[in-house]
Amino acid sequence: MPEFSDAMEATNTVDNSQASSTFDQILPAQSAAIYREFQAGRVIVRDIWDSNRSELRANPLYNLLYNHLSHFRTFYEHLGSELVFNEIGAFFFLKESSDDESEEHDENAFRVQVILLLIGRYFARSGRDLDYLGRPDAGLNERDLAALASDEEYQEILRAARFEKGFPEALDYLDKRNLLFRSGAGRCFLSSAGLYFLQELVREYEQG
């Protein structure tokens, strides 16, 4: 009859082999690339803007997360974080668990919301459907950006959110987080994640 220790050793061997097999499928450089994106405060969206081809293309980091979701969820859980997948907006983001990082996350979320609400408010007032903000062939053009930058009310709101340089700084803030893409000189549009967050803000406003 096998000893209890033998059974435990056999179980550990199976667990270790399963863990090894998932890690063997993913290159360290790929995991490191995903980690750097999250550490920079970015979301990982399904499609990213290719400025050389002037088109959206599939994001290999998104595909890697999607195809090995269980592995990466467990991996980040061990690091004290939660990997969140938003299927509607087609993006991943990392939710931190510590109190200090939660405060920082709340501040970042607030600043993002301010920018998106101002963009959405301006776009809706121009008589255009908000969905066009997420299209590379539409979005915000040079005239739109000039109008946003010259609106004193918007500038005061942005300064209150600590964007002292106004809309150029605010747009850079979204760009660095993959919530907005620049599709050319004086043109930009929201990523699937940026559009999702804007639509959620509009929905909450309408329900409130």
Side-chain angles (χ1 to χ4, degrees), residues 136-155:
D137 60 341
L140 296 170
N141 57 38
E142 192 170 359
R143 178 187 291 181
D144 295 323
L145 297 178
L148 286 166
S150 63
D151 190 300
E152 188 55 37
E153 179 189 1
Y154 289 175
Q155 302 317 304

Side-chain angles (χ1 to χ4, degrees), residues 119-161:
I119 290 175
R121 179 182 179 186
Y122 165 81
F123 208 76
R125 284 181 171 180
S126 71
R128 287 171 285 181
D129 192 302
L130 289 181
D131 286 343
Y132 282 82
L133 275 171
R135 286 177 43 174
D137 60 341
L140 296 170
N141 57 38
E142 192 170 359
R143 178 187 291 181
D144 295 323
L145 297 178
L148 286 166
S150 63
D151 190 300
E152 188 55 37
E153 179 189 1
Y154 289 175
Q155 302 317 304
E156 290 182 7
I157 294 173
L158 288 175
R159 283 193 288 269

Side-chain angles (χ1 to χ4, degrees), residues 89-110:
F91 65 93
F92 290 93
F93 68 96
L94 207 59
K95 185 177 181 181
E96 304 295 347
S97 56
S98 71
D99 292 338
D100 291 341
E101 288 173 330
S102 293
E103 291 178 6
E104 181 181 353
H105 171 77
D106 289 343
E107 181 180 354
N108 289 334
F110 167 74

Side-chain angles (χ1 to χ4, degrees), residues 56-189:
L56 287 169
R57 64 174 175 82
N59 184 354
L61 297 183
Y62 174 94
N63 291 336
L64 186 67
L65 284 169
Y66 187 87
N67 292 330
H68 300 278
L69 186 53
S70 177
H71 164 84
F72 281 105
R73 275 184 168 154
T74 302
F75 175 72
Y76 282 107
E77 183 181 354
H78 280 273
L79 296 179
S81 304
E82 179 186 356
L83 178 63
V84 181
F85 172 46
N86 186 291
E87 188 173 1
I88 298 174
F91 65 93
F92 290 93
F93 68 96
L94 207 59
K95 185 177 181 181
E96 304 295 347
S97 56
S98 71
D99 292 338
D100 291 341
E101 288 173 330
S102 293
E103 291 178 6
E104 181 181 353
H105 171 77
D106 289 343
E107 181 180 354
N108 289 334
F110 167 74
R111 300 181 80 195
V112 167
Q113 288 172 4
V114 168
I115 308 168
L116 290 177
L117 282 172
L118 291 180
I119 290 175
R121 179 182 179 186
Y122 165 81
F123 208 76
R125 284 181 171 180
S126 71
R128 287 171 285 181
D129 192 302
L130 289 181
D131 286 343
Y132 282 82
L133 275 171
R135 286 177 43 174
D137 60 341
L140 296 170
N141 57 38
E142 192 170 359
R143 178 187 291 181
D144 295 323
L145 297 178
L148 286 166
S150 63
D151 190 300
E152 188 55 37
E153 179 189 1
Y154 289 175
Q155 302 317 304
E156 290 182 7
I157 294 173
L158 288 175
R159 283 193 288 269
R162 296 193 298 108
F163 292 110
E164 299 297 333
K165 298 179 182 178
F167 256 100
E169 182 183 4
L171 294 178
D172 284 342
Y173 194 79
L174 296 184
D175 187 12
K176 290 176 181 178
R177 285 159 176 75
N178 286 340
L179 299 174
L180 173 143
F181 296 129
R182 299 184 184 275
S183 53
R187 296 191 67 89
C188 60
F189 66 100

